Amino acid sequence: MNVVVVPGADGSGLLRRAGEETEAVADLAAAVRELETRAGNGPAGDPAAGGDGRGAGRSEDGAGPGGRGAGRGGAGGGAGRWVWADTREVYPALLERGVRLARCHDLVLTEGLLLAHEGRYGEPRSVRAAHARLHGLPVPDDHEQDHAGHHGPGARQAVLFEEERPPPPDAGLVAEVHADQLRRIEATADPRRFRLLVAAESAGALIAAEMAHDGMPWRRDLHDALLAEMLGPRPVHGMRPPRLQALADEVTAVFGTSFNPDSVQQIVKAFKAAGTPVSSARAHELKKIDHPGVAPLLAYRELARFHSFHGWAWADQWVRDDRFRPEYVVGGVVTGRWATSGGGALQIHKAMRRVVVADEGWTLVVADAAQLEPRVLAAMAGDRGLARAAGQADLYHALARAFGGERDHAKIAMLSAMYGGTSGDAPKLLAVMRQRFPEAYRFVEDAARAGEEGRLVRSWLGRTCPPPSARWRELVSGPEGSRAARDRGRFTRNFVVQATAAEWALALMAVLRGLLPDPARLVFFQHDEVMVHCPQELAGEVAEAVGRAAEEATRLLFGPTPVRFPMEAVAVRCYADAK
DNA sequence: TCGGAGGGCGCC
DNA sequence: AAAGGGCGCCCTCCGA
C-alpha cells in the first residue's frame, strides 16, 4: 500500500494511507519505521541508532532496506511505496534516525520526467505547481531550495530562507498529485518502461541520500600526507604552498616579474612575444612548442589544480570523520546522469584514489560496467551483428575484424557514431559501420536527424531531451544555421545512448541495493561504476550480487537480449588498487 | 563588489 | 579545412 508522507516541524509529520484519513504524528521517523516493518520490508532500522554519521555507516544502523530479501525493493516492484514531494526533504532525517526504506515515489523527480515527456520541459516541478496545473490555476514558480550556492555539510540546515519557505502542502493534495502522475504515466508511449524509469529515478533518490549519509571512506591522514608530498607543508590561507610557489617563481623567472601563471591571456601573450606563438594555452598546444617556460608552466598548472580542487580547504569542507559526503543531484544532468552540487564527487582525480581506504576489517568492492554505451546501443538498436559482438567480453575486439582487423578502428567507429565525431579516420570508419551494422548506424543517425530538425528524442525508458531553445530556432534559420543544426544533432545522437546508459546504471544500483547483505553499503557511484563498503567476509557475496544486479538490470530494460553487460567486481582495501 | 562568460581540464 | 557527447569546478577578465 502506498503511504503519503509530509514532513512537519521538529520531526513530526503527516501520514496518509490510501483511502484513509490523514494522520498527524509527532515522531515521523518512528511512525515510518513502524509501517515499513509491518509492510514486510524488514526492520527499518534500529530505534537506538543515533545520528552519528560515521557510526551509522557501520553496524548499529540496523538492517538495510529489508536486508537481503529486498530485491523487490529495486526498480521493478509494484508493491507499496512511500510517496513524498522530495526525497531530499524527508529521507535524510529518517536516515539520521536509522530508518531505511525499500521504495519510494519522488513526486518532484517524476514530475520532471513527465513534463519533459509531455513536451513541457522546464516547467515548475513542485507538488504545488503540479497541483495548480491539474486544476488550471496559476502555477507558482519552483521555490528554489536546491541549496546550490551554500555548500558543505550542514548547508541543508541553513536557516537563511527558512522564513520565506511556504508551508508544506497537505497530504491530500500530495496524494492527488500522485494519482494524477500515475494516470499520466499510463498515458505515455510505453507505460511499462516509464514506470520502470520512475521507479529507478526514485530509487536513485534514496540511494543518493544514503550515500551522502554513509559517506565514502576517505582517510584524511593519507590525504594530508599526499598533499604534503606534492605541495609541501600547508600554507596559511591564501598563500601558495611551497612547491607551487617554487614553480610559479620558475615560470616568472622565464617570462618576467609580473607574470601570472594562472592567466590564459598572459600565457598566450608571453609565448607570442617569445617568438613561439600558440593558438591557445591548452596543455597539448604548449607541448608542441620548444620553450623553457613550457615545462614549469604545465607542472605549475597541474599542481595548482590539485591544490584548489582537492587541497586542504576542500578536505576541511567535505571530509569529516574520514568520510567524504558529497551532495549528489539525481537526474541533475539532462541525460539522467547524476550531478553534484558540491564536492566535485564525479570529478575526483584518479590520483586521489589512494586515500580511499576501507575501514579496518572491511573492504571496498569496486565494479564498473565495461563499454557500457556501445552495448546499450547494440541492445536498443536491435542490430544483430553488433549485438553478437556485444555478447563478448571485449566488444571492440569482437568488432575488430569488421574494421580491417584494428581494435582501435572499431572503437573510433563506435565512439564517432555515438558522439557525432567526424575528424580523422571517422568518416571512413563510419561508412564501414553503416554497411556492416546498418540498424545501429540508422539508430543514431535517426536521433541526429531528429535533433537537427528540432524534434525531441527519448531514451529507452522514456526520458525526453530538452526542446531546442528559442535562440536555437533563430540561429538555425540564419546564415550559421547548419552549424546550429549539426550541434543539436550531435546532442540528440548522444542523448539516446547516454540517457539509456544512465538508466541501465540506475537500474543496476536499485537492484544491487536490494541484494546487498547488511551491513554492506553503496558508498560511491560515478556514471557506470559503483563502490560498496562491506566487511571483508562479505566481499564474495557482494561481488556476486553485483553480477546478479547487472543481469537483472539488463533483463528489466531490454528483456531477452544477446547483449551482455559485463560488470566485474574486485575487492580491494584501497580504491587505487582497483583495476 | 558581484555575476557571468570563457578558458582549461578533471571525470565518465 | 576542420569538424566529437555530458558534466563541475576554479581561475581570470570584464562590465554592470
Side-chain angles (χ1 to χ4, degrees):
Chain A
M1 188 202 318
N2 294 322
V3 184
V4 168
V5 179
V6 179
D10 300 323
S12 69
L14 305 175
L15 293 177
R16 183 187 175 105
R17 282 182 267 189
E20 294 184 19
E21 292 297 306
T22 300
E23 178 192 357
V25 294
D27 186 343
L28 182 63
V32 166
R33 184 199 332 270
E34 162 73 17
L35 281 173
E36 178 82 348
T37 308
R38 211 189 303 162
N41 286 324
D46 180 349
D52 163 26
R54 180 187 172 122
R58 302 293 184 70
S59 55
E60 85 274 25
D61 211 9
R68 64 196 72 195
R72 60 209 145 77
R81 293 178 184 280
W82 296 99
V83 178
W84 52 54
D86 185 342
T87 304
R88 296 173 307 173
E89 290 175 352
V90 184
Y91 200 37
L94 298 180
L95 288 168
E96 286 294 316
R97 295 281 304 278
V99 178
R100 288 181 186 250
L101 304 173
R103 285 173 296 269
C104 79
H105 178 108
D106 186 301
L107 291 161
V108 170
L109 290 175
T110 303
E111 190 67 22
L113 294 169
L114 281 166
L115 285 170
H117 191 276
E118 293 159 355
R120 312 172 69 168
Y121 185 94
E123 290 188 28
R125 304 182 300 169
S126 73
V127 170
R128 288 182 180 285
H131 186 260
R133 269 192 298 269
L134 186 54
H135 293 280
L137 299 169
V139 176
D141 283 343
D142 276 348
H143 196 72
E144 272 310 327
Q145 322 174 3
D146 276 344
H147 315 286
H150 27 113
H151 296 327
R156 197 144 297 188
Q157 278 80 45
V159 291
L160 216 49
F161 304 109
E162 205 65 44
E163 305 285 329
E164 302 167 20
R165 211 178 277 184
D170 69 75
L173 185 151
V174 174
E176 196 183 342
V177 169
H178 179 229
D180 175 58
Q181 288 190 348
L182 296 182
R183 280 192 294 273
R184 288 154 69 201
I185 290 168
E186 293 311 305
T188 59
D190 189 330
R192 186 200 72 87
R193 290 190 193 174
F194 209 91
R195 281 195 297 270
L196 181 55
L197 175 60
V198 167
E201 191 90 328
S202 296
L206 293 177
I207 292 165
E210 288 167 3
M211 290 201 305
H213 176 81
D214 294 324
M216 183 190 199
W218 196 280
R219 284 273 298 274
R220 179 64 198 255
D221 58 336
L222 296 180
H223 186 164
D224 285 348
L226 180 61
L227 290 174
E229 181 188 311
M230 297 179 80
L231 299 162
R234 180 175 190 169
V236 300
H237 178 74
M239 300 291 286
R240 284 195 181 109
R243 292 265 298 114
L244 199 51
Q245 187 57 49
L247 282 166
D249 291 344
E250 210 177 315
V251 182
T252 304
V254 175
F255 290 113
T257 48
S258 68
F259 186 80
N260 177 0
D262 287 319
S263 166
V264 172
Q265 280 182 7
Q266 291 185 34
I267 291 169
V268 173
K269 206 179 285 179
F271 278 107
K272 188 176 180 189
T276 48
V278 289
S279 53
S280 79
R282 290 182 201 168
H284 70 94
E285 282 294 325
L286 299 185
K287 277 177 191 156
K288 284 193 261 183
I289 61 174
D290 181 27
H291 188 282
V294 170
L297 179 58
L298 293 181
Y300 170 85
R301 234 170 25 198
E302 201 178 329
L303 266 194
R305 184 184 162 80
F306 216 85
H307 177 231
S308 62
F309 268 66
H310 309 298
W312 293 278
W314 177 90
D316 287 347
Q317 189 172 8
W318 295 103
V319 179
R320 256 191 312 133
D321 303 325
D322 283 339
R323 290 289 186 274
F324 170 41
R325 293 188 177 78
E327 289 175 23
Y328 294 100
V329 183
V330 174
V333 178
V334 291
T335 57
R337 279 184 173 183
W338 289 11
T340 54
S341 68
L346 303 180
Q347 292 97 235
I348 293 293
H349 198 292
K350 281 187 172 175
M352 296 304 302
R353 292 183 181 183
R354 46 186 274 206
V355 312
V356 179
V357 179
D359 290 348
E360 202 57 43
W362 286 51
T363 192
L364 302 170
V365 177
V366 180
D368 72 324
Q371 304 160 343
L372 178 57
E373 295 193 347
R375 291 174 194 279
V376 158
L377 173 58
M380 275 197 294
D383 188 296
R384 298 235 330 252
L386 191 57
R388 193 157 45 235
Q392 305 297 309
D394 184 349
L395 180 147
Y396 296 132
H397 182 260
L399 285 178
R401 267 184 58 190
F403 291 91
E406 292 275 342
R407 184 183 183 279
D408 258 13
H409 286 176
K411 187 172 175 177
I412 290 169
M414 292 302 297
L415 293 178
S416 300
M418 294 185 298
Y419 290 166
T422 52
S423 64
D425 292 334
K428 187 185 71 183
L429 296 168
L430 282 171
V432 176
M433 183 174 168
R434 175 186 208 160
Q435 195 197 355
R436 298 293 297 267
F437 307 105
E439 291 93 350
Y441 183 85
R442 195 176 331 119
F443 191 89
V444 286
E445 283 298 313
D446 285 351
R449 198 75 54 237
E452 290 168 8
E453 293 168 6
R455 288 181 281 126
L456 302 180
V457 295
R458 303 188 203 283
S459 69
W460 186 249
L461 294 186
R463 191 185 302 269
T464 307
C465 75
S469 63
R471 174 82 187 128
W472 181 87
R473 294 197 179 282
E474 255 174 58
L475 271 178
V476 87
S477 53
E480 295 293 311
S482 60
R483 169 64 193 264
R486 266 203 315 278
D487 284 351
R488 177 145 179 104
R490 272 196 303 279
F491 167 63
T492 51
R493 171 196 293 273
N494 184 251
F495 181 94
V496 293
V497 178
Q498 189 183 113
T500 304
E503 284 161 359
W504 184 90
L506 261 189
L508 165 97
M509 269 207 304
V511 174
L512 176 58
R513 171 178 183 264
L515 293 175
L516 285 181
D518 196 67
R521 295 282 184 256
L522 273 163
V523 291
F524 188 55
F525 168 54
Q526 186 175 224
H527 308 313
D528 62 358
E529 176 180 12
V530 296
M531 178 188 293
V532 175
H533 191 215
C534 69
Q536 269 167 12
E537 60 272 20
L538 291 179
E541 194 179 334
V542 168
E544 199 227 346
V546 169
R548 280 168 56 203
E551 283 173 23
E552 178 64 5
T554 305
R555 194 192 64 76
L556 281 169
L557 261 74
F558 301 117
T561 172
V563 177
R564 283 182 52 216
F565 290 81
M567 189 104 187
E568 292 300 322
V570 293
V572 290
R573 177 139 173 75
C574 172
Y575 190 17
D577 298 332
K579 75 180 167 191

